[in-house]
């Protein structure tokens, strides 16, 4: 592995060759900079070497083509065929062959080379045609999808406009309902706080739990039931007026009914007194 000094010498030599006697721009001399410039110099030399080899190969091929052209020229001259001896049509045909050979990038002008090149060109044309048909199919599919997407987009835009109109129409009503909801929530909170305070005051004052609303409602329901029972007993008592002539038995029944009636009336009165306290 080359040391940092060796890399620097190679970088300096490469930069001198690149700028060809001109002043080399200053650069920071550190390990990172020298390493980067060294790698760049190595890659540049490799590219230059490949380029020289390619140029040498092209030069050699050019020499071979020129030699072959001179050989063919001598052969044609030996049989009396020169460009000057050809007719205008012949020169045109020859030019066409040359142009075709250059277009097809033929290595030589033999009939086989022309036929193979034409075959490759025909296959390439078929491939291009297949690609064109495939692209047309894809274009139609994309057009169909685009049309569908545009229809959906238009429908969404119409729905959006309808929603905007409804929002404008219902906006004041919704705002009023929102204000009402806020007011009701505020009132509900206020009532809950007031109810909590009142319950605390009732508990602090030692109020009898029997005077609460739900207790009074229960007592009123019980009172209604007692009244209904009294009404039934009164009906039974009234039915005693039609008792048979057995007076002693009738008196016993009547006394029992009176005592039951009196008991129920006393109980009803007590309930009423408790509710009025």
């Amino acid at each position: 592995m080359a040391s940092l000094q060796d890399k620097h010498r190679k970088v300096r030599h490469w930069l001198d060759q690149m700028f060809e006697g001109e002043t080399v721009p200053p650069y920071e001399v550190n390990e990172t900079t020298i390493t980067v410039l060294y790698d760049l110099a190595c890659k540049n030399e490799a590219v230059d070497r490949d380029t020289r080899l390619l140029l040498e190969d092209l030069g050699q091929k050019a020499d071979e083509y020129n030699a072959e052209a001179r050989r063919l020229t001598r052969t044609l001259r030996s049989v009396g065929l020169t460009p000057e001896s050809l007719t205008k049509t012949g020169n045109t045909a020859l030019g066409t062959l040359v142009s075709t050979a250059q277009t097809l990038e033929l290595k030589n002008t033999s009939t086989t080379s022309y036929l193979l090149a034409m075959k490759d060109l025909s296959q390439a044309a078929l491939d291009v045609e297949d690609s064109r048909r495939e692209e047309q199919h894809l274009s139609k599919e994309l057009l169909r999808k685009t049309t569908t997407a545009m229809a959906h987009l238009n429908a969404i835009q119409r729905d959006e406009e309808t929603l905007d109109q409804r929002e404008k129409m219902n906006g004041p009503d919704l705002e009023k309902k929102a204000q009402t909801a806020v007011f009701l929530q505020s009132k509900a909170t206020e009532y809950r706080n007031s109810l909590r305070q009142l319950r605390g005051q009732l508990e602090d004052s030692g109020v009898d739990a029997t005077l609460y609303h739900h207790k009074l409602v229960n007592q009123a329901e019980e009172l209604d039931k007692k009244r209904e029972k009294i009404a039934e007993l009164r009906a039974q008592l009234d039915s005693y007026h039609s008792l048979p002539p057995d007076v002693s038995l009738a008196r016993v029944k009547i006394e029992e009914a009176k005592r039951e009636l009196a008991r129920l009336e006393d109980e009803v009165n007590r309930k009423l007194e408790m509710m009025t306290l």
Side-chain angles (χ1 to χ4, degrees), residues 9-38:
R9 282 195 294 271
K10 184 171 183 177
V11 166
R12 190 68 189 180
H13 178 69
W14 173 66
L15 291 175
D16 291 339
Q17 289 180 342
M18 290 292 295
F19 287 95
E20 297 180 353
E22 297 181 3
T23 303
V24 177
Y27 57 90
E28 186 176 354
V29 180
N30 54 45
E31 184 176 0
T32 302
T33 304
I34 296 302
T35 301
V36 172
L37 291 174
Y38 177 79

Side-chain angles (χ1 to χ4, degrees), residues 85-102:
S85 64
L86 295 176
T87 63
K88 183 176 181 180
T89 304
N91 283 322
T92 303
L94 181 61
T96 302
L97 288 174
V98 172
S99 176
T100 303
Q102 292 176 347

Side-chain angles (χ1 to χ4, degrees), residues 48-61:
D48 289 343
R49 184 169 55 254
D50 294 340
T51 303
R52 285 194 299 272
L53 292 175
L54 180 61
L55 290 174
E56 291 175 359
D57 182 66
L58 292 176
Q60 183 178 356
K61 288 182 178 180

Side-chain angles (χ1 to χ4, degrees), residues 7-8 29 31 62 64-65 73 79 86 109 124 135 139 154 182 184 189 210 241 261 277:
K7 291 181 178 179
H8 192 196
V29 180
E31 184 176 0
E64 292 175 356
Y65 290 151
T73 301
V79 295
L86 295 176
T109 57
E135 289 180 357
S139 299
N154 292 332
V182 172
L184 292 176
T189 303
T210 58
H241 293 163
L261 179 61
L277 291 177

Side-chain angles (χ1 to χ4, degrees), residues 209-223:
T210 58
L211 297 179
Y212 288 167
H213 177 71
H214 66 281
K215 293 290 185 180
L216 295 177
V217 171
N218 293 335
Q219 291 177 3
E221 292 176 353
E222 292 179 1
L223 180 59

Side-chain angles (χ1 to χ4, degrees), residues 4-166:
L4 185 62
Q5 293 180 352
D6 294 337
K7 291 181 178 179
H8 192 196
R9 282 195 294 271
K10 184 171 183 177
V11 166
R12 190 68 189 180
H13 178 69
W14 173 66
L15 291 175
D16 291 339
Q17 289 180 342
M18 290 292 295
F19 287 95
E20 297 180 353
E22 297 181 3
T23 303
V24 177
Y27 57 90
E28 186 176 354
V29 180
N30 54 45
E31 184 176 0
T32 302
T33 304
I34 296 302
T35 301
V36 172
L37 291 174
Y38 177 79
D39 293 340
L40 185 61
C42 292
K43 292 179 181 179
N44 185 265
E45 288 181 352
V47 172
D48 289 343
R49 184 169 55 254
D50 294 340
T51 303
R52 285 194 299 272
L53 292 175
L54 180 61
L55 290 174
E56 291 175 359
D57 182 66
L58 292 176
Q60 183 178 356
K61 288 182 178 180
D63 293 337
E64 292 175 356
Y65 290 151
N66 289 328
E68 180 66 13
R70 288 193 295 272
R71 186 186 68 80
L72 292 174
T73 301
R74 287 195 301 271
T75 302
L76 291 174
R77 288 182 182 277
S78 64
V79 295
L81 291 177
T82 61
E84 294 79 7
S85 64
L86 295 176
T87 63
K88 183 176 181 180
T89 304
N91 283 322
T92 303
L94 181 61
T96 302
L97 288 174
V98 172
S99 176
T100 303
Q102 292 176 347
T103 302
L104 297 176
E105 298 180 355
L106 300 180
K107 294 182 179 180
N108 55 62
T109 57
S110 65
T111 304
T112 303
S113 297
Y114 276 104
L115 292 177
L116 291 175
M118 292 299 295
K119 179 179 178 297
D120 294 338
L121 186 62
S122 298
Q123 185 61 44
L126 292 176
D127 294 339
V128 170
E129 182 64 22
D130 292 339
S131 299
R132 187 183 65 82
R133 284 196 294 267
E134 184 177 356
E135 289 180 357
Q136 285 180 346
H137 176 71
L138 292 175
S139 299
K140 291 180 180 178
E141 186 66 18
L142 289 174
L143 180 60
R144 183 186 65 81
K145 291 182 178 180
T146 303
T147 303
T148 304
M150 290 298 297
H152 290 167
L153 178 61
N154 292 332
I156 292 174
Q157 289 178 346
R158 288 194 298 270
D159 293 340
E160 184 179 3
E161 292 175 357
T162 303
L163 290 176
D164 290 340
Q165 293 176 357
R166 290 182 179 178

